[in-house]
Amino acid sequence: MKKITFKSIKKLIANNLVTVLFLVICGFGIPLSGYSANFLISGIIVRISRNSFLILSLLIPIMAGMGLNFGMVLGAMAGQIGLIFVTDWNIVGIPAMVLAIIISIPISILLGQLCGRILNKAKGREMVTAYILGFFMNGVYQLVVLYGMGSIIPIKNTSLVLPRGYGIRNTVNLIGIRQSLDSIFNLSIFGIKIPLMTFIVIGVVCVFIVWFRKTKLGQDMRAVGQDMDVAAAAGIQVEHTRIVSIVISTVVAGIGMIIYLQNIGTLNTYNSHTQIGMFSVAAILVGGASVSKANIGNVFLGVILFHLMFIVSPMAGKNLIGQAQLGEYFRVFVSYGVITMSLVLYEMRKKRENLVNAEKLKDDQGDSNEN
Amino acid sequence: MKINKRFYIRVTAMGLIILFAILMAFLGKQHTILIDNKNIEINGVELKALQIVEFQVDKQPALELAKRDRLKTLVQGQTHTFIITYADENWEEFVLEKKLKVPFSEDMLIFSIPAFINDIEDVDNYLKPFIIKTIN
């Protein structure tokens, strides 16, 4: 057995600084909020079922060395378009969800292809490019939804269309599909409702990711992620592999958005997707992932810690300062802060590793010259 | 252009997905049905509303309607079983049951109970599309 020393603990903390910081925040926040364990657990279960699918979509691009896919908002937009159509057609329940997924997939593939091609032109700067691409596509989405729907794209449901006759309203009521997946199989333990079917679906995606890593394409992605030049020399189509990884991520994000919105029951047409990328990236980073390394465990740990902070912070802020608004500011500031801190730490670690490697190389070369 | 086996597989898969999407649309289509227990005139004959009547669609809870009542129910899918339970002047109970197909394109329909009791086979007279009148 490996001996636990002060140095090893220090290294463990240094490697998981964000996670440790969140554990400390939650450790202080939980008693301050005064929430019962039952309330916190049920809140966390709801948020795991709501967000995990979306966050899982980030794993494959990380595997392919493309960093955190801020372009997942493109998939979220595709999912929302699917939901707008099924609501217009008055289709409800699980068939509505399936139909929304079927509609979203081709749109996600198209947007994923576009995103992948652009990211191939911006190698090494994928994250910032995908982030800005998300803003650009948000403009296109708004153009389509605000001006195209109801005028060029037929929308007959008057409750969806703005009073002027075209464009979708700010809020779309998803009452027809609200919690249709969550309510299929429900388990109740000590009054805590567990949406089993949603967890089964999330489990299937986890199994898919584990299986995918072992496939030829998965291995190619790992090779591309480690070193693009070596992968290209080994005969792997680097650019194609990178595009496929983004397409898969976008499709999964589209489905994830549909699962997310069926849980909430309301679609905020022009805002729902904008925060999704940021919060999903923050959650996976809180779970201990980095720009180049992530696994399924990071997803679930991230959802638990990040959303625990989300639940706890307004009440903790209210009890501490007397203002719940403080908690609201706090959680937004923390989610941006987490991303910044993780990126800075990652860069620092990379620089330190490069420095150590350079020193090692220098020493080795010095030794060989002496010989 | 050379058409290979993969092309056929892709076309078949796409066709199957489209068929599956159509099936989902049929299975999930929701219709609003307004159940109407008011006097109605059909072919110049006035059919009287019932004093009290029970209406049930599929396995949903039964709804009780008095004279001049209009209630709303939501149904999912295309084929539904309508059950009407009523009593005549001698308090003899009658149960009428009919399985009907609801037109896919119609979001809202009106179901007239007096017309249904008058002639259960004349679907066009008791199940009609309903369009909410809007003031421009």
Side-chain angles (χ1 to χ4, degrees):
Chain A
M1 212 180 115
K2 214 175 163 184
K3 208 178 161 188
I4 300 166
T5 59
F6 179 71
K7 210 176 165 186
S8 68
I9 294 170
K10 207 175 143 188
K11 199 179 167 191
L12 186 81
I13 292 172
N15 286 340
N16 300 284
L17 200 60
V18 181
T19 313
V20 173
L21 192 72
F22 256 74
L23 278 170
V24 173
I25 293 171
C26 292
F28 276 108
I30 291 168
L32 273 173
S33 71
Y35 284 132
S36 67
N38 233 9
F39 178 83
L40 287 175
I41 295 167
S42 54
I44 286 295
I45 284 170
V46 167
R47 281 161 192 266
I48 293 173
S49 70
R50 189 190 288 167
N51 293 284
S52 299
F53 206 107
L54 272 167
I55 303 169
L56 283 166
S57 74
L58 294 170
L59 289 179
I60 289 174
I62 293 175
M63 199 165 88
M66 299 182 82
L68 301 153
N69 181 22
F70 284 97
M72 68 179 285
V73 290
L74 273 60
M77 288 175 206
Q80 287 179 188
I81 289 172
L83 285 174
I84 291 171
F85 279 122
V86 293
T87 311
D88 177 43
W89 299 334
N90 212 11
I91 293 160
V92 297
I94 290 293
M97 272 190 75
V98 176
L99 192 57
I101 289 169
I102 294 172
I103 294 166
S104 83
I105 288 174
I107 305 170
S108 294
I109 292 173
L110 212 74
L111 293 174
Q113 279 267 354
L114 175 84
C115 185
R117 279 173 203 277
I118 292 170
L119 295 188
N120 274 343
K121 301 229 182 308
K123 287 190 190 104
R125 301 179 301 276
E126 286 92 349
M127 282 195 290
V128 71
T129 311
Y131 191 56
I132 298 301
L133 187 65
F135 283 123
F136 166 69
M137 283 315 293
N138 188 30
V140 177
Y141 169 84
Q142 285 190 15
L143 183 75
V144 171
V145 177
L146 201 54
Y147 291 99
M149 287 191 171
S151 54
I152 301 162
I153 305 159
I155 302 284
K156 60 174 183 155
N157 192 338
T158 47
S159 64
L160 275 179
V161 183
L162 287 164
R164 67 181 183 196
Y166 60 91
I168 302 297
R169 285 177 195 267
N170 275 338
T171 314
V172 174
N173 188 358
L174 300 175
I175 191 78
I177 64 156
R178 188 171 183 265
Q179 300 197 342
S180 48
L181 183 69
D182 295 341
S183 55
I184 292 180
F185 296 126
N186 268 330
L187 199 71
S188 191
I189 302 169
F190 301 116
I192 299 163
K193 255 170 78 176
I194 301 165
L196 268 187
M197 196 62 198
T198 315
F199 280 111
I200 291 169
V201 172
I202 293 165
V204 169
V205 183
C206 293
V207 172
F208 166 77
I209 289 169
V210 171
W211 166 80
F212 183 77
R213 277 184 177 157
K214 291 172 186 163
T215 60
K216 162 84 171 66
L217 189 60
Q219 295 291 337
D220 286 357
M221 279 184 193
R222 287 169 77 168
V224 170
Q226 274 162 15
D227 197 315
M228 275 189 272
D229 295 328
V230 174
I236 297 168
Q237 289 178 291
V238 173
E239 302 216 330
H240 173 76
T241 311
R242 283 162 59 93
I243 292 172
V244 171
S245 80
I246 289 292
V247 168
I248 295 172
S249 172
T250 316
V251 169
V252 176
I255 301 168
M257 193 64 184
I258 292 166
I259 293 174
Y260 174 87
L261 289 171
Q262 67 84 37
N263 179 277
I264 290 178
T266 312
L267 163 65
N268 198 336
T269 317
Y270 303 102
N271 292 320
S272 278
H273 57 279
T274 51
Q275 294 290 322
I276 280 301
M278 187 62 69
F279 287 159
S280 300
V281 166
I284 201 168
L285 290 174
V286 169
S290 73
V291 175
S292 59
K293 216 173 121 193
N295 58 44
I296 293 166
N298 297 140
V299 172
F300 291 102
L301 182 64
V303 178
I304 292 169
L305 287 177
F306 190 65
H307 286 280
L308 189 62
M309 195 260 317
F310 259 45
I311 298 166
V312 158
S313 62
M315 194 50 91
K318 191 178 167 243
N319 290 343
L320 199 68
I321 315 265
Q323 281 182 332
Q325 198 64 34
L326 181 92
E328 289 290 322
Y329 290 135
F330 182 71
R331 62 189 190 183
V332 174
F333 135 81
V334 164
S335 51
Y336 284 97
V338 160
I339 298 172
T340 314
M341 197 173 151
S342 300
L343 297 180
V344 169
L345 285 172
Y346 175 74
E347 282 303 318
M348 275 167 64
R349 204 175 300 147
K350 214 165 87 176
K351 266 190 184 162
R352 205 186 309 136
E353 276 169 17
N354 285 347
L355 226 103
V356 170
N357 288 341
E359 285 290 328
K360 222 178 193 177
L361 198 71
K362 209 169 126 186
D363 291 344
D364 290 346
Q365 277 177 345
D367 289 345
S368 60
N369 285 345
E370 278 169 23
N371 294 333
Chain B
M1 198 181 91
K2 199 185 162 193
I3 297 171
N4 56 16
K5 197 177 152 190
R6 183 179 277 190
F7 174 80
Y8 288 113
I9 293 169
R10 281 181 179 173
V11 169
T12 313
M14 262 194 263
L16 285 174
I17 290 167
I18 291 167
L19 280 176
F20 188 64
I22 293 166
L23 176 74
M24 287 296 117
F26 273 89
L27 288 177
K29 177 77 181 180
Q30 190 181 52
H31 306 275
T32 305
I33 295 181
L34 302 171
I35 315 131
D36 197 53
N37 186 25
K38 291 179 184 171
N39 292 355
I40 185 171
E41 200 180 289
I42 293 169
N43 303 327
V45 181
E46 193 183 44
L47 304 169
K48 295 274 181 199
L50 284 92
Q51 287 298 333
I52 196 98
V53 63
E54 206 179 82
F55 174 90
Q56 194 184 7
V57 61
D58 301 327
K59 281 170 186 165
Q60 288 185 22
L63 299 166
E64 205 173 71
L65 291 97
K67 203 173 181 177
R68 289 192 292 275
D69 270 357
R70 181 181 280 179
L71 298 179
K72 187 181 95 170
T73 188
L74 298 168
V75 291
Q76 187 187 334
Q78 300 310 298
T79 311
H80 306 283
T81 309
F82 294 83
I83 305 163
I84 299 279
T85 312
Y86 70 101
D88 64 4
E89 302 94 66
N90 305 318
W91 296 105
E92 196 182 336
E93 202 174 87
F94 294 93
V95 179
L96 294 176
E97 192 177 325
K98 180 84 176 166
K99 207 171 186 177
L100 293 171
K101 266 195 172 172
V102 179
F104 179 79
S105 58
E106 297 299 340
D107 284 338
M108 197 179 268
L109 297 117
I110 189 157
F111 183 93
S112 169
I113 293 175
F116 179 78
I117 291 167
N118 181 57
D119 188 355
I120 199 167
E121 298 307 323
D122 196 359
V123 182
D124 295 338
N125 271 333
Y126 61 79
L127 190 68
K128 292 176 184 169
F130 185 84
I131 299 157
I132 301 168
K133 282 177 188 160
T134 50
I135 302 160
N136 292 316

